[in-house]
Amino acid sequence: MWHNLRQELRPVLIITRREISDQFRDWRIMAPIIVLTVFFPALMNFTAERAVNFVAKYGADIVGDRLIPFLLMVVGFFPISISLVIALESFVGEKERRSIEPLLSTPLKDWQLYLGKLLASMAPPLLASYLGTLVYLVGVYFQVGWRPPGILLAQILTLVVVQATVMVSGAVVVSTQTTSVRAANLLASFIIIPMALLIQAESIVMFWATYSALWWIIFGQLLLAAVLVRMGIAYFNREELLGRELDVIDLSGSARVFWRYFRGQAHSLLAWYRYELPQALRRVRLPLFLMTLVLGATLLIGAGQASRFPIPTEKLQRENLQSGTIQGLEVIPLYSASGVVTVWGHNLRTMLLATLGAIFSFGILGILILMLPFMLIGYFLAVMTSAGYSPLLFFAAFVLPHGIFEIPAIVLVGAALLHLGATLMTPSQGRTLGEAWLDALATWAKILLGLVVPLLLAAALVEVLFTPQAIQWFFSI
Amino acid sequence: MIETFDLSKTFGDFVAVDGVHLQVRAGKVLALLGPNGAGKTTTIRMLTAILRPTRGWAKIAGEDIRTAPDLVRAKVGVLTEQHGLYGRMRTTEYLDFYGELYNLDAATRQRRIAALLERFGLSEVADRRISEFSKGMRQKLALARTLLHRPPVLLLDEPTSAMDPQSARLVRDAIHQLRSEERSIIICTHNLSEAEELADQIAIIRRGRIIAQGNPKTLKQQLLGIPEYEIQLGKGLNGHLPNLPNDVEVTGYGEIWLRYRTAHPERDNPAVLWYFLSNDMPVISLKETGGDLEQVYLRAITTVEEAAHVA
């Protein structure tokens, strides 16, 4: 087994070695790495010393104490930012220069080439980052006598690796969808902007000195890196790399593909409902199951929050509720058609917002938005129970009437969004990423238009015309 | 041996290759001709197991491109249209890198690299950076890379493009030798005289479909009709048409020349020569007129275009 593994990894290392030696010959890569390894940490040492002395004069030692670990993080991060440039150059640059085709003609497996380039893109910047960190730590020790706590150092060093992996794996995904370094650089803002925001969040953590939060950041980025590596392996393949020749936006072509998937074989609305919609539902069977589990777990999480954020029992009595504990309901004209439209429109907007969030987050943000009402239901179920009400009756009065329609609608949209997000991470034989994604979007549209929109209309009708009566009945018992 | 059946590839709605049937036995050369965008490169990429066929299959040296792509790539040497060299690497270093990828041991790599550099006249630049090379030198280096692992199947896209006549001759000789080593070779080229010289078979591809295929002689007969020959004489005919064999149709003549058609040149040309020589009329030259591959190619393309226009 060990022998097989070595045999499998051998080509990976051959690729890595060649790429790294090529990087060492390129002054455009080496110059910034040297600057960020030697000069930048020395500058940070100088900055740290001056800042510590300056704030000490005003008795603000805490600022100095927080600044030194913050600069440690900055010194670690800057060199690995080069890994993004190297990765874009390595993957899409090779594609642009057409030197990738002879490489793809060798017996190399796709994953070997991917891993070889991934390692090569990360290794020199990581080495530079660690060397820079060392330079900074030695300097700061001799200047102000500061030594990092072991855990903090481990966190920073881990953070650096994880951030480099996220950037490089993101760059690979970007590079599979472009044919030129220029286009890849433009698309790279999808990596740079979130990363810049993340660094700002990390900076707050460092100044706040809640270092345990760094583990959560590391964990989150590890998950993201896993998703991006999965995507990279799925799409860094010969077919995707050489089957795609153009970067031109083809909106009408995309619309045609979408319509083809949306309409399917159906030639009438009835046929569409009879054949295409059930087919779409079959495709999201697993996401439906997962979404049901997630929303069930959300109910429990919501219920768990009741003890942390309790509502005094007396506020939940009928007379208090009428005196204005529940506010904001006046915007919904109950027992009227305009109320139905308001509720229906609100729910549809939420679904569209969830979809928008899902598109930019592999489905995650969309699912989080859909989880919110379930969190509230779980919370109020627990709160009302602790106030002495029957949870079943509460559920039957407040949720069930319109929930019969609304809950399946939420589960269906959530499943379609999970499917949409998962499509990006799944290899699609014989189709491009764009085609597979448009297919998943068509599945989402089928479910939304065919089921969710009518279900939400029914839910709005019940919620405006019947649920208020059920609530009144609940409090009159 | 290269064998394809109904080999097809589509990208979305675009049909790049449509139902290609090819067979190239060991020791044979097939020239794949066609205009730009006809589907040659996509065909080559499928034969290299880089692209998966949408329909049909292909076997390379006994390995199926769909089920054993890694084995196929180990048995194929591909010269791509773009050389794809790494400019910052040195000649030997570059070939050594590819030798490692083909799992050759260090001694074999060293030996073969030296031999290939010698064969293509690159020994003197063994330590030079590739970025300093001329186009022709790059082409030769790319060809050396193609041959490094001694593949039984070679797919050569424009093997002599950008080469000076001497280098092109060197490469053509190399291809002749590779054929004699029982390798199956496909050449994609726009140089029709080169194709005529090297190929045992010709396949003309247009819009993804093979529109004509066969050996050069058969194709000429199919597309241009019975070949025409011209004989130049050292003495005038004095207005008398000679008494030539029955199957020979005279198409024109002058004082010291004569043109004729024959469906059996291997039988009739010696008879014509014998007639003139035995009648004390010295023969200066005998050659086929106008029946070159370029005419075959153009006829094939225009015939299909006319048919499409009519349809």
Side-chain angles (χ1 to χ4, degrees):
Chain A
M1 186 193 151
W2 174 239
H3 176 73
N4 283 347
L5 186 67
R6 271 185 59 188
Q7 283 297 106
E8 289 285 297
L9 288 177
R10 193 175 158 271
V12 173
L13 298 177
I14 294 168
I15 295 291
T16 305
R17 201 178 59 215
R18 193 209 79 77
E19 295 269 335
I20 290 177
S21 62
D22 216 38
Q23 287 167 29
F24 276 99
R25 288 168 180 155
D26 191 345
W27 68 267
R28 293 168 305 172
I29 291 172
M30 288 317 293
I33 282 184
I34 291 167
V35 167
L36 291 171
T37 307
V38 183
F39 299 111
F40 184 68
L43 181 68
M44 289 300 106
N45 284 150
F46 175 76
T47 308
E49 187 193 15
R50 287 301 171 105
V52 166
N53 293 338
F54 178 74
V55 293
K57 283 185 206 166
Y58 302 95
D61 295 333
I62 191 169
V63 177
D65 292 347
R66 303 287 165 84
L67 185 70
I68 294 172
F70 165 73
L71 290 178
L72 174 66
M73 185 197 79
V74 172
V75 165
F77 174 75
F78 270 39
I80 59 155
S81 61
I82 306 284
S83 64
L84 181 67
V85 180
I86 296 175
L88 288 175
E89 173 65 19
S90 167
F91 285 91
V92 79
E94 184 142 45
K95 208 160 125 186
E96 191 176 41
R97 290 188 296 274
R98 304 289 177 117
S99 55
I100 203 158
E101 194 168 350
L103 213 50
L104 296 178
S105 309
T106 66
L108 271 176
K109 293 182 175 74
D110 290 334
W111 71 264
Q112 289 171 328
L113 185 56
Y114 174 83
L115 190 59
K117 283 180 167 284
L118 191 83
L119 290 176
S121 300
M122 283 170 60
L126 269 181
L127 184 69
S129 169
Y130 286 167
L131 282 174
T133 304
L134 184 70
V135 170
Y136 175 76
L137 286 176
V138 170
V140 91
Y141 175 72
F142 284 110
Q143 282 170 334
V144 294
W146 186 79
R147 276 191 303 188
I151 291 287
L152 179 65
L153 188 61
Q155 284 176 318
I156 297 290
L157 296 182
T158 313
L159 198 61
V160 162
V161 178
V162 176
Q163 278 169 338
T165 313
V166 168
M167 282 195 290
V168 172
S169 52
V172 178
V173 174
V174 163
S175 73
T176 57
Q177 299 308 306
T178 55
T179 55
S180 67
V181 177
R182 180 175 151 269
N185 279 326
L186 290 173
L187 274 180
S189 49
F190 281 107
I191 305 164
I192 294 163
I193 293 169
M195 197 50 81
L197 293 172
L198 186 71
I199 294 297
Q200 287 174 33
E202 287 171 11
S203 305
I204 293 168
V205 168
M206 298 305 284
F207 273 103
W208 215 331
T210 48
Y211 299 129
S212 59
L214 285 179
W215 287 124
W216 286 106
I217 293 173
I218 289 169
F219 177 69
Q221 288 193 79
L222 262 179
L223 285 183
L224 182 59
V227 167
L228 290 171
V229 168
R230 177 75 185 86
M231 274 183 82
I233 290 174
Y235 288 100
F236 188 78
N237 59 57
R238 290 166 161 85
E239 188 83 30
E240 272 289 321
L241 290 171
L242 291 179
R244 175 181 288 271
E245 300 286 348
L246 293 170
D247 287 331
V248 178
I249 295 172
D250 181 12
L251 286 178
S252 60
S254 301
R256 270 200 310 276
V257 173
F258 174 81
W259 177 244
R260 198 175 64 216
Y261 285 126
F262 182 78
R263 200 185 71 171
Q265 305 295 319
H267 291 285
S268 69
L269 187 62
L270 188 67
W272 186 83
Y273 259 101
R274 283 183 67 183
Y275 303 110
E276 292 301 323
L277 196 56
Q279 201 179 21
L281 288 174
R282 277 196 293 278
R283 293 181 71 184
V284 297
R285 264 183 308 195
L286 180 63
L288 275 173
F289 174 69
L290 291 174
M291 196 59 200
T292 310
L293 283 184
V294 166
L295 295 180
T298 310
L299 275 177
L300 295 177
I301 294 167
Q305 301 305 307
S307 56
R308 288 184 67 189
F309 306 102
I311 299 176
T313 310
E314 62 273 14
K315 294 235 174 193
L316 294 168
Q317 299 310 312
R318 188 185 179 196
E319 51 279 9
N320 289 333
L321 286 170
Q322 282 176 334
S323 66
T325 303
I326 299 175
Q327 292 173 346
L329 280 177
E330 62 278 4
V331 296
I332 304 169
L334 298 175
Y335 308 112
S336 69
S338 65
V340 173
V341 173
T342 305
V343 171
W344 190 39
H346 170 267
N347 288 342
L348 283 177
R349 278 201 305 275
T350 308
M351 297 301 172
L352 292 176
L353 184 70
T355 303
L356 208 63
I359 286 172
F360 293 103
S361 63
F362 305 106
I364 296 166
L365 207 55
I367 306 301
L368 285 175
I369 291 171
L370 297 178
M371 282 163 69
L372 283 175
F374 284 79
M375 185 86 88
L376 288 173
I377 291 171
Y379 172 76
F380 277 108
L381 274 172
V383 164
M384 296 303 265
T385 306
S386 62
Y389 292 102
S390 158
L392 282 178
L393 279 179
F394 170 78
F395 187 79
F398 278 76
V399 181
L400 198 60
H402 61 279
I404 289 174
F405 304 106
E406 200 169 304
I407 292 172
I410 292 174
V411 175
L412 282 166
V413 167
L417 295 182
L418 266 182
H419 176 64
L420 195 65
T423 303
L424 293 173
M425 293 175 260
T426 319
S428 183
Q429 284 290 349
R431 291 194 303 181
T432 63
L433 174 64
E435 279 177 333
W437 191 81
L438 285 172
D439 189 7
L441 192 69
T443 301
W444 166 85
K446 282 179 200 174
I447 289 171
L448 189 83
L449 294 176
L451 285 172
V452 173
V453 171
L455 278 171
L456 288 180
L457 179 61
L461 277 166
V462 174
E463 195 169 351
V464 171
L465 302 177
F466 181 73
T467 302
Q469 288 178 350
I471 293 170
Q472 280 185 339
W473 164 77
F474 173 78
F475 282 115
S476 66
I477 296 173
Chain B
M1 170 87 166
I2 302 166
E3 197 179 1
T4 76
F5 177 80
D6 195 25
L7 195 65
S8 309
K9 180 72 186 176
T10 55
F11 298 104
D13 296 334
F14 176 68
V15 182
V17 175
D18 189 9
V20 165
H21 296 262
L22 295 173
Q23 196 175 45
V24 187
R25 291 200 301 272
K28 297 288 177 191
V29 176
L30 171 99
L32 191 58
L33 311 178
N36 292 328
K40 300 190 294 288
T41 303
T42 304
T43 304
I44 295 288
R45 284 177 178 172
M46 281 194 281
L47 295 180
T48 323
I50 290 179
L51 297 180
R52 276 183 73 82
T54 316
R55 202 178 68 229
W57 53 263
K59 283 187 176 176
I60 301 290
E63 307 292 351
D64 194 319
I65 57 166
R66 299 164 306 171
T67 53
D70 296 344
L71 291 175
V72 166
R73 285 192 288 270
K75 291 183 174 183
V76 170
V78 192
L79 179 70
T80 49
E81 194 179 355
Q82 308 282 333
H83 311 133
L85 305 171
Y86 297 117
R88 284 193 284 265
M89 289 181 100
R90 295 176 195 281
T91 314
T92 313
E93 184 190 12
Y94 177 77
L95 291 175
D96 195 59
F97 165 66
Y98 269 92
E100 278 195 281
L101 288 180
Y102 282 108
N103 215 10
L104 303 176
D105 63 68
T108 309
R109 291 200 303 270
Q110 202 177 4
R111 203 174 54 249
R112 288 192 191 172
I113 288 169
L116 283 166
L117 292 181
E118 180 68 33
R119 182 178 194 171
F120 291 110
L122 295 171
S123 299
E124 285 178 15
V125 293
D127 292 321
R128 283 247 302 267
R129 284 200 199 285
I130 297 167
S131 56
E132 298 166 17
F133 281 18
S134 67
K135 275 187 182 175
M137 285 161 81
R138 284 167 194 243
Q139 181 82 345
K140 284 194 274 187
L141 179 58
L143 198 57
R145 176 196 68 211
T146 306
L147 301 176
L148 192 62
H149 57 298
R150 297 196 175 157
V153 169
L154 286 165
L155 308 171
L156 310 176
D157 205 347
E158 298 289 345
T160 58
S161 67
M163 281 186 173
D164 59 77
Q166 194 183 359
S167 299
R169 181 76 265 158
L170 193 100
V171 169
R172 283 198 285 271
D173 288 345
I175 293 171
H176 279 300
Q177 195 188 328
L178 290 165
R179 174 169 50 191
S180 70
E181 291 166 6
E182 292 297 297
R183 303 189 202 213
S184 306
I185 303 170
I186 291 183
I187 299 172
C188 295
T189 182
H190 291 295
N191 183 340
L192 298 178
S193 61
E194 180 177 280
E196 194 162 18
E197 178 193 331
L198 294 172
D200 302 293
Q201 289 179 74
I202 305 285
I204 301 173
I205 188 169
R206 185 179 172 277
R207 292 189 184 162
R209 297 185 77 97
I210 299 286
I211 54 169
Q213 189 173 3
N215 65 46
K217 185 185 161 195
T218 315
L219 274 182
K220 279 179 192 172
Q221 286 207 358
Q222 272 177 9
L223 293 161
L224 303 178
I226 298 169
E228 188 184 53
Y229 295 89
E230 182 179 293
I231 194 161
Q232 291 279 342
L233 302 167
K235 228 163 106 178
L237 286 167
N238 294 327
H240 297 294
L241 262 182
N243 189 17
L244 297 176
N246 285 340
D247 290 343
V248 172
E249 177 199 352
V250 175
T251 54
Y253 64 94
E255 187 55 26
I256 54 161
W257 61 271
L258 179 130
R259 280 192 200 140
Y260 62 92
R261 288 186 187 278
T262 172
H264 306 286
E266 66 283 354
R267 184 194 65 195
D268 293 336
N269 282 354
V272 170
L273 279 175
W274 175 249
Y275 170 84
F276 284 114
L277 293 173
S278 59
N279 285 287
D280 197 24
M281 298 181 80
V283 174
I284 307 295
S285 68
L286 172 65
K287 64 178 182 187
E288 193 177 345
T289 61
D292 58 8
L293 196 56
E294 186 175 321
Q295 283 192 320
V296 171
Y297 174 81
L298 292 173
R299 179 64 61 87
I301 297 287
T302 49
T303 304
V304 171
E305 273 172 2
E306 281 166 9
H309 187 68
V310 169

